[in-house]
Amino acid sequence: MKIGIDLGGTNLRAAIIEDEVRLRDHSKEPVGEPRDPTTIVARCAELVERLSAGESATVGIGLAAMLRGHSGMVANSPHLRWLDIPFGELLAQRLGSRFKVGVYNDVNAIVYGEYMCGSARGFRNVLGVYVGTGIGGGMIVNGELVEGASNCAGEIGHTKVRWDDAAAPCACGKRGCVEAYVGGSYVQRRILEELSAGARSSAVTLAGGIENVNAGHVDMAAADGDEWALGLWQELAPLLAVTLGNAMAVLNPERLVLGGGVLGRCPTLYAMTDAALMVVGNQPTLEACTIAQAELGDDAGIIGAAHLASRDVSIVAV
């Protein structure tokens, strides 16, 4: 039995994987509070035990974290607020010998899912970038997931777009990361701060009040020519485009997969980012690459984590 889990900054999802891509007994619940490791490990274990119904299983977990090595050690999870947590070991101990546990960066798992069964299927050199609560990336080179020397490859959200003293602080502890400008939680905070401080926008009317405004309302307002919304997107789209263009110049992918909740519900921002990428990107690199939206949606991480665990010889077992 293969079980996939996607533990992100917002939701905890799990399912049994059958026939490569089909999900059975799908479960989704908010991460919520508390987010301490003991609580989250217990919740994940309960999900696995319920799904497995007494059978042995390989469990793959895509985790919103920067990992250290391949044992599931969490070096830093800004959205779970974890530092140096042996998550893989804790979960494997909790589950016992019936289970083998593999822990992967959540976006690596998502991109691998798209590579196996989604919009990157058939391509051997892929860059995937997801703009959701934060920003994450994953890379497939010559048909293999790139994990890097310490399993931290693909952390595109923490590449820098500013480095002066006024650069925005990021939850990773540094400043100037592209995530601190375009990541969903940061964009939401900025939207509410600026509107509460007196910025005028039709997004407020669309949402039925300042407290209800989200990036989707701002995107609709920008599409209608709203000055404040358009100005915000004109600032943020080039930052994301430069980040994508630089990564593409290094990797030379044949497929760029873009996804995540922010880009998914903000077609105007997506289009502006794509237009800016055509300006800032390296032309021969762009010519060799096609750009596609992610196909598998919220299922990608579950599918990818399960597939990675099923082929991983270094996963944690007790």
Side-chain angles (χ1 to χ4, degrees):
M1 179 184 290
K2 291 188 291 189
I3 294 175
I5 295 177
D6 180 10
L7 176 52
T10 304
N11 292 303
L12 172 60
R13 301 181 178 90
I16 297 169
I17 311 300
E18 296 180 335
D19 302 326
E20 284 197 348
V21 70
R22 188 161 61 91
L23 274 62
R24 178 162 62 85
D25 297 335
H26 188 279
S27 169
K28 174 184 174 182
E29 57 191 59
V31 174
E33 299 289 346
R35 298 186 173 208
D36 61 279
T38 300
T39 300
I40 298 298
V41 165
R43 290 175 63 187
C44 289
E46 288 165 5
L47 271 174
V48 170
E49 289 161 352
R50 177 172 59 79
L51 289 170
S52 65
E55 294 185 39
S56 298
T58 297
V59 182
I61 302 169
L63 180 63
M66 289 174 266
L67 303 176
R68 182 180 292 118
H70 294 84
S71 67
M73 171 63 75
V74 174
N76 187 357
S77 177
H79 301 292
L80 292 174
R81 304 187 291 275
W82 293 357
L83 291 171
D84 297 320
I85 300 297
F87 175 76
E89 181 181 339
L90 292 172
L91 183 57
Q93 289 175 349
R94 171 66 186 261
L95 287 172
S97 59
R98 282 196 297 115
F99 302 95
K100 293 183 178 181
V101 178
V103 181
Y104 313 94
N105 171 270
D106 61 335
V107 181
N108 277 353
I110 288 167
V111 173
Y112 197 75
E114 291 287 346
Y115 167 71
M116 290 293 295
C117 313
S119 62
R121 190 166 192 168
F123 294 90
R124 292 183 56 79
N125 294 279
V126 178
L127 171 64
V129 178
Y130 284 71
V131 184
T133 305
I135 298 178
M139 303 173 291
I140 308 290
V141 175
N142 292 329
E144 294 292 334
L145 178 69
V146 177
E147 296 175 312
S150 63
N151 204 12
C152 280
E155 289 290 348
I156 194 169
H158 300 289
T159 55
K160 304 298 181 279
V161 290
R162 284 187 63 173
W163 45 89
D164 55 282
D165 292 341
C170 181
C172 74
K174 302 294 185 179
R175 287 180 173 270
C177 303
V178 67
E179 179 174 301
Y181 289 92
V182 196
S185 61
Y186 302 87
V187 172
Q188 183 66 25
R189 187 183 312 144
R190 180 170 174 184
I191 288 169
L192 296 181
E193 286 176 353
E194 293 193 8
L195 292 175
S196 298
R200 300 178 64 84
S201 172
S202 60
V204 176
T205 303
L206 290 169
I210 289 176
E211 66 280 2
N212 300 323
V213 178
N214 60 36
H217 300 116
V218 174
D219 198 77
M220 288 187 284
D224 289 338
D226 180 86
E227 183 176 353
W228 173 82
L230 201 54
L232 181 59
W233 271 195
Q234 286 171 339
E235 175 190 341
L236 299 187
L239 298 180
L240 183 55
V242 165
T243 302
L244 295 173
N246 287 342
M248 291 174 68
V250 172
L251 292 169
N252 190 202
E254 57 187 316
R255 188 70 146 181
L256 171 63
V257 177
L258 296 176
V262 172
L263 291 181
R265 68 175 185 268
C266 296
T268 306
L269 177 62
Y270 185 107
M272 292 172 69
T273 300
D274 182 68
L277 177 59
M278 296 304 107
V279 174
V280 303
N282 177 44
Q283 191 58 40
T285 303
L286 292 171
E287 290 170 359
C289 184
T290 56
I291 302 173
Q293 293 191 31
E295 288 181 5
L296 299 179
D298 293 342
D299 296 340
I302 297 173
I303 293 168
H307 279 292
L308 283 169
S310 69
R311 51 158 279 181
D312 193 342
V313 298
S314 65
I315 60 178
V316 181
V318 295

